[in-house]
Amino acid sequence: METYVDATGVDTAATTTTETMGKQNKKKLNVMVAMDESKNSFYALEWAVEHLRDVISAEPETDQPGGLLTLVHVHPTYLQYIYPSGGTASAVYATDSVPESMKKAREESTAKLFTRSLEICRGKMVKTETMILEGDPKEMICQAVEQTHVDLLVVGSRGLGMIKRAFLGSVSDYCAQHAKCPILIVRPPRETSTTSK
Amino acid sequence: MATGEDQKPVMVVGIDESEQSTYALEWTLDRFFAPYAPNFPFKLFIVHAKPNAVSAVGLAGPGTAEVVPYVDANLKHIAARVIEMAKGICQSKSVHGAMFEVFEGDPRSILCDVVDKHHASLLVVGNHGYGAIKRAVLGSVSDYCAHHAHCSVMIVKKPKIKV
């Protein structure tokens, strides 16, 4: 539990309960946004930054520190990138060269993704951090939530219909059920949504 | 949708009599409304969907016609209590200007309809459903809303107490 020292140098943690309640109520949210390269996830970030601006931005007038916005991107596990070589039965390409170039390409695309994301967050008075994880996106996101104790997780939604969701799987579904914190699912704008009954 | 001077984005919070729902409302008010009085960032609608007595009793089997009025009265009683509690919570957090609405019918479609009616930007629900009697059958109203509402959905969960 951090102790806040306000403008007059008084340690506010030691003040009466009503005052600490007041400070605590003003605490800005720490929000985590799960990103991938899809359009919906950028839309989710934009939506979150716009609508949650009030609850995460720092307020310099009142000396109120802002919350933390964490952008997390999960790489699917490495093994998916390893293909059987030629016509041989071996499934694993032993040398380093293929993973190496894959890794480079991935790093580039991740860098691009975060550049774009940080562009969206620019000028909104909110401290932004990025996090890159590797593994199964659904599980890694829920783990990240647990480890960083964020107040809110924001995910985009592909707007898939029921059948597609059953086959393709849904990160937002999984996270809605398993994440340990409140979750905000941002729907794609109505014009581009393809959901049907 | 042009945002005029007075056009705050709309937030709809769906509630029932469950603890999770109360927690969701309190959490939302704590984080999104209480600290910003009197200029709340959202216009707030608090909605309770009263299950339809006939459909609720219909699960119980034949010969239940006499029971319906009692069930209906009970549900009305619960609805009143839920709204009272919600008003109490808003009062205690000094959140004014919230609108309270009660509708009768299936909570899932009601919540989605309310979102459309008020052009809400955000729908907030608790995690474990909605409606005492139908809870077992409904399974997840929050899940339905997350996929069918025409706005973003926030599912607030009551955290399990960790030692």
Side-chain angles (χ1 to χ4, degrees), chain B residues 2-125:
Chain B
T3 40
E5 316 75 8
D6 243 314
Q7 287 288 58
K8 281 194 265 205
V10 174
M11 182 191 283
V12 173
V13 180
I15 53 169
D16 68 354
E17 66 280 0
S18 69
E19 261 184 50
Q20 289 86 356
S21 195
T22 311
Y23 177 83
L25 180 61
E26 284 180 355
W27 188 93
T28 308
L29 291 180
D30 265 340
R31 298 293 192 287
F32 286 79
F33 289 89
Y36 307 99
N39 284 328
F40 304 120
F42 290 91
K43 172 115 185 67
L44 178 63
F45 286 89
I46 297 182
V47 176
H48 173 62
K50 169 178 157 317
N52 195 341
V54 173
S55 55
V57 171
L59 302 168
T64 50
E66 310 91 41
V67 185
V68 173
Y70 292 104
V71 173
D72 195 48
N74 189 33
L75 289 174
K76 280 204 171 74
H77 187 66
I78 291 178
R81 213 175 47 205
V82 167
I83 295 291
E84 274 313 303
M85 182 200 61
K87 286 189 180 158
I89 293 177
C90 288
Q91 273 297 90
S92 70
K93 303 205 185 286
S94 307
V95 176
H96 305 296
M99 308 285 293
F100 297 85
E101 294 180 345
V102 179
F103 295 99
E104 178 166 328
D106 184 11
R108 292 174 288 191
S109 47
I110 284 177
L111 285 184
C112 293
D113 286 343
V114 169
V115 160
D116 285 335
K117 186 170 92 165
H118 296 304
H119 300 294
S121 318
L122 184 58
L123 170 65
V124 183
V125 289

Side-chain angles (χ1 to χ4, degrees), chain A residues 17-142:
Chain A
T17 30
T18 42
E19 274 191 32
T20 40
M21 271 296 278
K23 269 273 191 240
Q24 263 180 7
N25 279 342
K26 261 285 195 177
K27 185 169 93 76
K28 298 285 179 164
L29 295 182
N30 293 329
V31 177
M32 176 178 281
V33 182
M35 304 285 307
D36 62 3
E37 282 98 5
S38 74
K39 204 165 45 152
N40 282 324
S41 124
F42 282 104
Y43 177 75
L45 177 62
E46 283 169 10
W47 192 97
V49 167
E50 188 189 317
H51 286 84
L52 300 180
R53 185 171 16 125
D54 298 309
V55 295
I56 54 175
S57 305
E59 284 170 25
E61 320 86 51
T62 57
D63 239 351
Q64 175 68 31
L68 178 64
L69 179 65
T70 309
L71 306 176
V72 63
H73 175 63
V74 184
H75 289 313
T77 25
Y78 233 142
L79 288 176
Q80 291 182 13
Y81 287 118
I82 300 177
Y83 298 92
S85 58
T88 66
S90 153
V92 175
Y93 205 70
T95 69
D96 277 342
S97 60
V98 169
E100 200 54 47
S101 59
M102 286 290 173
K103 207 155 81 153
K104 255 188 172 298
R106 221 164 62 167
E107 272 170 18
E108 272 179 31
S109 74
T110 308
K112 253 196 288 202
L113 186 150
F114 279 134
T115 312
R116 226 179 118 187
S117 315
L118 291 173
E119 196 56 48
I120 296 176
C121 302
R122 192 187 301 271
K124 308 282 185 198
M125 303 283 313
V126 56
K127 195 160 79 161
T128 310
E129 271 184 13
T130 57
M131 191 189 267
I132 303 178
L133 300 171
E134 209 170 290
D136 182 14
K138 325 193 266 279
E139 289 167 22
M140 295 314 291
I141 291 176
C142 292

Side-chain angles (χ1 to χ4, degrees), chain A residues 25 54 173 176 179 183 185 187, chain B residues 31 35-36 147 151 153 155 157:
Chain A
N25 279 342
D54 298 309
D173 256 352
I183 177 171
I185 301 174
R187 310 267 308 153
Chain B
R31 298 293 192 287
Y36 307 99
H147 291 108
C151 69
V153 176
I155 303 176
K157 311 181 194 196

